[in-house]
Amino acid sequence: MRDDRPIGLFDSGLGGLTVVRALLDLVPGADVVYFGDTGRFPYGSKPPEEVLKYSLEIVDLLLEQNVRMVVVACNSAASVALEQLREQLDVPVVGVIGPGLRAARRATRTGRVGVIATVGTIASGAYQRAGAQLAADASDPAGAALELTCAACPGFVEFVEQGDVDSDQVHVLAERLLAPLKQAYVDTLVLGCTHYPLLARTIADVMGPDVVLVSSAEETAFEVRAELGEPDLDVPTDRPRQVKFMTSGDPTTFRELGSRFLGPEVEHVEAWSWS
Ligand code: DGL
């Protein structure tokens, strides 16, 4: 039987809408509830305990919306909260870290893979752990170890938030932050932060044409699709799809900036207050 409950996603702000975009395209029959914690953004520079607390609070809120699955559409949140959420929840929990790395492993020719993310995500070691787990997965014939080079990119998120994705300043910062990855001769680079796909052009310019950029948004949507049962992939003909947005920040700003990440679907945005 078809399960019509929505899929719940959350992020520290707007960046997770890149995952919503991929999900809307890949699973056109699914209803979606998205929570952007814009009022407490950013997560990437906050201590892990604080990000974990916020993640648990948001998941409670999503469960009140009767979601059938939780997608942690934020690398900084996934890197500290994913394991605990998987242990605690009765619904499936999908993160963005595993899917991104699996896509990188398919893309790499040399095994030298770079990961760029926020300070919090890199410091958590979550990508390194996920890489080791992939290599240890004996059931996976492609389980060869990846040589990971990880680099934090403080400043990238702030530029994207300002709508600046390709100025000279962004370029200069990218040249500096991406230098260790070039020195490591990575042939594949995981954009391990939901904001970074918007900087893809600048990052690609700096890394050069031989480096494949991997965004976890599409891969995460594929993982969600794989979790769903066959009947849930059909598009219901009896009702339009429901896509609900909630934010702890200013709903008007969310609507205006949200279209940059998602497109025109961001219409009604519900305000949420943590107090
Ligand atoms: N959504 C966050 C991530 O993917 C980026 C922004 C932040 O620092 O909160 O890591």
Side-chain angles (χ1 to χ4, degrees):
M1 233 210 3
R2 189 186 162 81
D3 184 345
D4 276 326
R5 290 176 299 161
I7 295 170
L9 301 95
F10 75 92
D11 177 44
S12 56
L14 294 152
L17 293 174
T18 53
V19 183
V20 176
R21 174 72 275 149
L23 193 61
L24 294 181
D25 293 340
L26 205 65
V27 192
D31 289 349
V32 166
V33 180
Y34 177 88
F35 187 91
D37 203 6
T38 332
R40 304 192 290 198
F41 176 90
Y43 283 5
S45 49
K46 293 201 165 73
E49 312 77 49
E50 196 171 338
V51 176
L52 176 62
K53 176 177 168 286
Y54 291 170
S55 303
L56 296 174
E57 286 171 356
I58 296 170
V59 166
D60 278 346
L61 197 63
L62 290 175
L63 292 174
E64 279 169 25
Q65 301 284 317
N66 195 29
V67 297
R68 59 177 300 179
M69 184 188 300
V70 169
V71 181
V72 186
C74 172
N75 287 266
S76 302
S79 66
V80 297
L82 194 66
E83 279 152 39
Q84 185 163 335
L85 290 174
R86 283 200 170 129
E87 275 166 28
Q88 281 184 10
L89 302 191
D90 293 330
V91 296
V93 182
V94 172
V96 279
I97 291 174
L101 264 192
R102 278 195 291 281
R105 193 183 50 186
R106 282 201 302 278
T108 183
R109 300 172 303 278
T110 60
R112 286 191 296 275
V113 169
V115 176
I116 51 173
T118 62
V119 172
T121 299
I122 297 298
S124 76
Y127 271 97
Q128 293 88 331
R129 282 197 299 281
Q133 212 172 328
L134 266 190
D137 187 354
S139 65
D140 188 339
L146 296 178
E147 195 183 314
L148 288 186
T149 304
C150 299
C153 292
F156 273 8
V157 164
E158 288 74 7
F159 272 115
V160 173
E161 288 290 310
Q162 289 158 22
D164 179 356
V165 292
D166 52 8
S167 67
D168 287 349
Q169 288 93 320
V170 184
H171 218 278
V172 167
L173 181 66
E175 287 280 3
R176 180 164 64 76
L177 295 174
L178 301 175
L181 301 146
K182 291 174 80 172
Q183 278 153 18
Y185 293 102
V186 301
D187 73 352
T188 303
L189 181 60
V190 178
L191 307 180
C193 170
T194 50
H195 280 59
Y196 296 176
L198 280 88
L199 291 171
R201 199 154 34 119
T202 296
I203 295 169
D205 276 354
V206 172
M207 294 305 295
D210 294 332
V211 176
V212 178
L213 302 188
V214 172
S215 147
S216 45
E218 283 80 22
E219 283 305 311
T220 304
F222 274 112
E223 189 153 318
V224 171
R225 197 184 148 92
E227 279 282 346
L228 298 175
E230 201 57 43
D232 303 323
L233 298 178
D234 289 341
V235 181
T237 48
D238 53 339
R239 59 177 182 83
R241 167 154 69 188
Q242 312 277 330
V243 184
K244 178 172 175 175
F245 300 98
M246 299 170 78
T247 179
S248 56
D250 175 35
T252 308
T253 312
F254 186 100
R255 196 169 43 245
E256 281 165 13
L257 295 181
S259 51
R260 211 183 277 164
F261 289 84
L262 178 66
E265 278 94 341
V266 191
E267 282 169 18
H268 179 67
V269 182
E270 210 173 287
W272 172 263
S273 165
W274 287 117
S275 54

